[in-house]
Amino acid sequence: MKKRKIRDFVRSLKFRLILICMMVGIVSGHVIRIGILQAYEKRAVSVRNIDILSQGKILANQIVDTGYVYDTSSEAITAQLEQLSQIYDGRVMIIDSTFRIIKDTYDLDTNKIIISEEVVKSFSGKGREISNYDARNRYIETLVPLVYTDAEPEQQEVIGVILISVSTDYIEANVEYLRNRALIFQVVMAVALFAIVVWLSVRITRPLKRMSKCIEEIQTGYGDSDGTLMIDEYTETMQVSEKFNKLYSRMKMLDDSRQEFVSNVSHELKTPLTSMKVLADSLNGQDNVPVELYRDFMQDIGNEIERENKIINDLLSLVKMDKSASDLNITSVNINEMVEQILKRLRPIAEKQHVELVLESFRPVTAEIDEVKLTLAITNLIENGIKYNKEEGWVHVSLNADHQYFYVKVDDSGIGIPKDSLEHIYERFYRVDKSHSREIGGTGLGLAITRNAILMHRGAIKVFSTEGEGTMFTVRIPLNYIA
């Protein structure tokens, strides 16, 4: 249980918010700290270098003016060299044109020859100063050429070089001090950031907890929830609430529809059985039943069995229609021939009802359909037009197509459908005129089967009707089936 709680917490949004914010805060703080320290070190070295270069130029002018390169007996210049060395905690060397060290404040390399890349560059650079910073060994090296400034630029000659090497240990000490202080500050800020992030994560995830609790109350039926979810703290939670409410309404409608369907099925299947039981009990309760009455009762029982069989068959068809569209057996079918075959089978029924059946085809039509399912759908529409028609009435069927769809229109002169019933005619077991429907053997499932078959073909069906004048169904089906 404890491991599960830990795992759930690690996978929670709260933990991930804390983790992300802490990572961003710590990494950004570390980057800022390093950046500031590097910027400080670079700036301190730059300032130090400028000071040394400035002092070196002043001293270079004095050395040139006093001829110290040729005679190092000047105590004033020597004192200034020593002072410069002490102030900047460094070493100062004077190098003449023969690369000989004529003065070394450390008295280590006097009269020795020094040939380095920087010294050579300084002599050949016509008075160009050179500065280098060695970060690994922590010192600044500055070379200032000794040049007669009163000569013409093209006639200026470098007679010597001042080489100043200054330690940057004090800069490193300051950087180390700042690094330690910044680390302490960063730790304090990380602790403060953790507290703030935890508080914010709790605040941010609180609406989600409320949402979860509300959904649980809706699911169990306990609590104060009225069946709707509305958490509007954030735009996202508001959108989720709206989508959930729509889904809940849809699921509730489906559940109500399922309960109504089960009730209707039970009623529809029970009615013929009840009739058969009443007829059978009537026969069993009488002695010496006349053969004619016996035959009438048995005929009525047979009719009820046939009616029960129709209901079961339609239910089976409806169940098949409710399956996914992957069950469709799509083939290329000549729609003209299919509709003609449907009318050929239904023509005897129409003649018996004294209803004229007319087909009008505007052009040849071939489409990708499931012939069995779509034949059943169109048959239901035409058969309804025949059964719910008037004496000497008519049913007009037309077939047309464009570049994308084909259209089937079934128009009749029948009894029509009341306006308030039009939106319910596709519901299972719904009947406009229940007594007339039972009289002609309707089960109330035909239009539900028809609509499902058309929708499985990515099609559409519409109805237009005026009570007492007739009904027109229009069906639109794509010529090419797209899964």
Side-chain angles (χ1 to χ4, degrees):
M1 182 64 69
K2 187 176 181 181
K3 289 183 178 179
R4 184 178 178 182
K5 287 183 178 180
I6 294 173
R7 186 176 67 251
D8 290 343
F9 176 72
V10 170
R11 295 178 60 188
S12 67
L13 177 62
K14 185 189 298 182
F15 174 77
R16 295 183 184 185
L17 284 173
I18 294 172
L19 184 62
I20 292 171
C21 291
M22 289 303 297
M23 287 180 63
V24 171
I26 292 173
V27 171
S28 60
H30 183 69
V31 171
I32 292 172
R33 179 169 64 90
I34 292 176
I36 291 175
L37 291 174
Q38 289 180 347
Y40 167 78
E41 183 179 6
K42 185 177 180 180
R43 176 61 179 170
V45 169
S46 176
V47 171
R48 189 71 161 176
N49 192 39
I50 291 172
D51 289 343
I52 295 170
L53 190 59
S54 176
Q55 293 295 326
K57 285 181 178 181
I58 295 172
L59 187 58
N61 292 333
Q62 293 179 358
I63 290 173
V64 171
D65 291 341
T66 59
Y68 191 81
V69 175
Y70 306 108
D71 182 6
T72 59
S73 60
S74 175
E75 295 182 359
I77 298 299
T78 301
Q80 289 188 40
L81 291 174
E82 295 293 339
Q83 186 180 13
L84 180 64
S85 177
Q86 291 175 4
I87 291 175
Y88 291 103
D89 189 21
R91 181 181 185 183
V92 182
M93 292 187 293
I94 308 297
I95 304 167
D96 65 12
S97 58
T98 62
F99 299 103
R100 186 171 59 87
I101 301 173
I102 62 174
K103 180 61 179 177
D104 181 3
T105 56
Y106 279 11
D107 290 327
L108 296 175
D109 296 325
T110 305
N111 293 323
K112 291 183 179 180
I113 301 298
I114 178 171
I115 299 177
S116 66
E117 183 180 358
E118 288 76 14
V119 173
V120 173
K121 284 182 179 179
S122 186
F123 272 102
S124 62
K126 299 293 184 181
R128 184 168 60 91
E129 296 86 11
I130 298 175
S131 292
N132 292 317
Y133 172 55
D134 190 338
R136 175 178 296 180
N137 297 312
R138 295 193 296 276
Y139 72 89
I140 301 172
E141 186 177 74
T142 302
L143 292 94
V144 180
L146 302 175
V147 181
Y148 287 110
T149 56
D150 54 352
E152 294 296 331
E154 61 275 4
Q155 296 177 351
Q156 288 181 354
E157 181 182 358
V158 179
I159 62 174
V161 173
I162 301 177
L163 176 59
I164 306 172
S165 297
V166 176
S167 173
T168 59
D169 286 342
Y170 89 98
I171 295 177
E172 180 62 26
N174 288 340
V175 170
E176 186 64 25
Y177 174 80
L178 291 175
R179 184 180 290 111
N180 294 334
R181 289 292 180 179
L183 183 60
I184 295 172
F185 179 75
Q186 189 176 358
V187 171
V188 173
M189 289 301 297
V191 173
L193 177 64
F194 179 77
I196 294 172
V197 168
V198 170
W199 179 77
L200 284 176
S201 64
V202 171
R203 295 277 298 178
I204 290 172
T205 57
R206 187 175 296 168
L208 300 179
K209 285 189 175 181
R210 286 180 51 209
M211 184 178 292
S212 177
K213 184 180 179 182
C214 260
I215 293 174
E216 185 179 0
E217 289 178 355
I218 293 172
Q219 182 182 3
T220 58
Y222 293 102
D224 300 329
S225 176
D226 59 353
T228 58
L229 178 67
M230 185 48 64
I231 308 297
D232 55 0
E233 273 81 352
Y234 313 125
T235 302
E236 290 78 8
T237 57
M238 185 170 62
Q239 291 174 348
V240 171
S241 298
E242 291 174 354
K243 296 294 188 297
F244 174 83
N245 290 334
K246 289 180 181 179
L247 177 62
Y248 180 76
S249 299
R250 174 65 177 167
M251 296 299 294
K252 191 173 184 303
M253 183 180 69
L254 289 175
D255 187 61
D256 293 342
S257 176
R258 179 185 59 81
Q259 292 181 5
E260 183 181 0
F261 176 71
V262 171
S263 176
N264 289 336
V265 168
S266 301
H267 175 74
E268 293 295 332
L269 292 177
K270 185 178 178 181
T271 301
L273 292 174
T274 303
S275 298
M276 286 187 282
K277 187 176 186 305
V278 170
L279 292 170
D281 289 344
S282 297
L283 289 175
N284 292 330
Q286 299 181 38
D287 295 328
N288 301 321
V289 179
V291 176
E292 292 80 7
L293 182 61
Y294 186 83
R295 286 177 178 171
D296 288 343
F297 275 36
M298 291 304 295
Q299 185 176 0
D300 291 340
I301 290 174
N303 291 336
E304 293 299 329
I305 292 174
E306 180 64 24
R307 183 177 166 209
E308 188 92 0
N309 188 48
K310 284 184 179 180
I311 293 172
I312 292 172
N313 287 335
D314 282 351
L315 282 171
L316 290 174
S317 298
L318 196 59
V319 169
K320 291 179 181 178
M321 292 294 179
D322 282 341
K323 291 184 179 180
S324 65
S326 61
D327 292 336
L328 291 176
N329 181 25
I330 301 297
T331 57
S332 182
V333 177
N334 187 317
I335 306 300
N336 303 76
E337 293 181 0
M338 185 188 77
V339 177
E340 288 173 1
Q341 289 296 321
I342 293 173
L343 265 65
K344 184 177 180 180
R345 289 195 295 269
L346 293 177
R347 205 170 295 280
I349 300 175
E351 291 174 355
K352 185 178 179 181
Q353 297 288 114
H354 302 289
V355 173
E356 182 183 9
L357 195 56
V358 181
L359 171 62
E360 183 179 12
S361 296
F362 290 90
R363 57 180 51 83
V365 180
T366 301
E368 297 175 356
I369 62 167
D370 184 318
E371 186 174 6
V372 174
K373 290 183 174 60
L374 200 57
T375 295
L376 178 62
I378 296 176
T379 299
N380 282 339
L381 293 179
I382 300 173
E383 191 173 7
N384 282 348
I386 296 171
K387 290 181 178 179
Y388 296 94
N389 215 313
K390 301 174 183 177
E391 189 78 16
E392 304 300 331
W394 50 265
V395 175
H396 183 265
V397 181
S398 66
L399 174 64
N400 204 347
D402 56 24
H403 67 286
Q404 191 174 3
Y405 301 96
F406 73 88
Y407 306 88
V408 177
K409 182 172 71 173
V410 180
D411 197 5
D412 67 60
S413 61
I415 60 176
I417 303 172
K419 189 175 181 180
D420 57 352
S421 297
L422 285 175
E423 60 183 85
H424 301 289
I425 60 173
Y426 301 113
E427 296 176 6
R428 299 165 184 182
F429 295 111
Y430 182 82
R431 295 187 179 92
V432 177
D433 186 348
K434 294 185 178 180
S435 60
H436 188 47
S437 296
R438 286 200 174 93
E439 183 181 331
I440 64 175
T443 63
L445 295 171
L447 287 178
I449 294 171
T450 297
R451 180 175 179 272
N452 280 17
I454 292 169
L455 293 180
M456 288 175 74
H457 284 82
R458 307 291 188 265
I461 181 171
K462 292 183 179 180
V463 59
F464 306 90
S465 183
T466 302
E467 191 173 7
E469 296 183 9
T471 303
M472 180 176 68
F473 284 92
T474 61
V475 176
R476 185 192 71 187
I477 305 290
L479 294 173
N480 299 310
Y481 179 78
I482 301 176

